[in-house]
Amino acid sequence: KKPRNPGTSRASPRAFVKMAAPTVLKFEAFPDRTLTVMLFTNVTNSAEIHQGLLDRTLEPESSLLDPAPLHSLFALHVAAHKALVDDSRNGLTTRTIHSEVVYNISANKHITEGLRRFGMGETATSVLACRFDASPADVDAMKNAINGDVVDAADLEAELAKLTDHARVKKYYKPGDLECSKAVGSVEDAIVQRIGTRDVL
């Protein structure tokens, strides 16, 4: 009988996927705050998670987004920063800072529509999960709550780009041809501008 190499493991491929490192975003204006971001693919329990969101029983509390209309990680970073600013001024529009992130990504002032468009749906197979100031225990709990494969931080932006639904991005943000021309700006510039100025327009 051939001896098993002691350097190998019997752990399943999914076990290694669950160990993937999350992305941690930092904020210059809020040096003590962070946002931990994890992209899950091949999700199989989205209906259960969605119900937990509706019942407000999901732990730990987090922002759960549909990655398809999210154009970039930078847009998420801007939306999260805006949520921190609003929270510091006791000016949240939604119930929690985590739902505020989802709402802030929308260019629309209609709260329900913004949460519906950018929040995860009950049939989602890909979910972008985010939590402010997440502890290692929080990260483990998020991984355990969502049955799916975690994308490693090194691959996050590339995987987000693959999942982007450009038709929905265009429908929701309506970037103009002129403002997105090479000489003027980009689609990302247009989206970030709408996130930043939504409440003053």
Side-chain angles (χ1 to χ4, degrees), residues 28-44:
E28 186 175 347
F30 300 91
D32 297 329
R33 307 299 302 269
T34 60
L35 184 73
T36 296
V37 181
M38 290 184 288
L39 175 63
F40 293 81
T41 59
N42 303 314
V43 176
T44 59

Side-chain angles (χ1 to χ4, degrees), residues 12-22 38 40-41 43 45 139-151:
S12 68
R14 182 173 291 267
F16 288 112
V17 171
K18 283 289 188 180
M19 292 172 63
M38 290 184 288
F40 293 81
T41 59
V43 176
N45 65 332
V139 172
D140 288 341
M142 292 165 72
K143 289 180 179 180
N144 289 331
I146 302 174
N147 294 337
D149 299 330
V150 187
V151 175

Side-chain angles (χ1 to χ4, degrees), residues 117-183:
R117 284 180 169 183
F118 293 90
M120 70 162 289
E122 59 184 339
T123 60
T125 56
S126 298
V127 177
L128 192 66
C130 315
R131 177 167 171 79
F132 283 107
D133 311 319
S135 67
D138 290 334
V139 172
D140 288 341
M142 292 165 72
K143 289 180 179 180
N144 289 331
I146 302 174
N147 294 337
D149 299 330
V150 187
V151 175
D152 191 76
D155 303 317
L156 176 61
E157 293 192 74
E159 289 300 315
L160 281 177
K162 292 178 185 177
L163 293 170
T164 299
D165 184 335
H166 295 283
R168 288 172 65 185
V169 170
K170 187 173 183 179
K171 177 182 178 181
Y172 295 163
Y173 291 107
K174 297 178 172 57
D177 292 337
L178 178 59
E179 67 178 328
C180 298
S181 64
K182 185 177 294 187

Side-chain angles (χ1 to χ4, degrees), residues 37-139:
V37 181
M38 290 184 288
L39 175 63
F40 293 81
T41 59
N42 303 314
V43 176
T44 59
N45 65 332
S46 53
E48 175 189 338
I49 298 167
H50 190 263
Q51 190 59 49
L53 280 174
L54 296 179
D55 297 339
R56 302 192 185 97
T57 58
L58 192 67
E59 293 292 339
E61 179 188 300
S62 29
S63 308
L64 298 179
L65 299 114
D66 179 356
L70 181 70
H71 184 265
S72 67
L73 187 62
F74 183 57
L76 172 63
H77 204 166
V78 172
H81 179 269
K82 189 173 187 299
L84 286 174
V85 171
D86 293 340
D87 185 51
S88 70
R89 298 171 178 171
N90 295 316
L92 293 180
T93 301
T94 62
R95 189 176 295 271
T96 72
I97 192 172
H98 290 98
S99 59
E100 195 80 3
V101 173
V102 183
Y103 171 60
N104 281 347
I105 293 172
S106 173
N108 194 312
K109 290 184 180 180
H110 194 286
I111 299 173
T112 302
E113 185 173 284
L115 297 178
R116 178 182 59 80
R117 284 180 169 183
F118 293 90
M120 70 162 289
E122 59 184 339
T123 60
T125 56
S126 298
V127 177
L128 192 66
C130 315
R131 177 167 171 79
F132 283 107
D133 311 319
S135 67
D138 290 334
V139 172

Side-chain angles (χ1 to χ4, degrees), residues 18-31:
K18 283 289 188 180
M19 292 172 63
T23 296
V24 179
L25 303 180
K26 297 182 179 182
F27 304 88
E28 186 175 347
F30 300 91

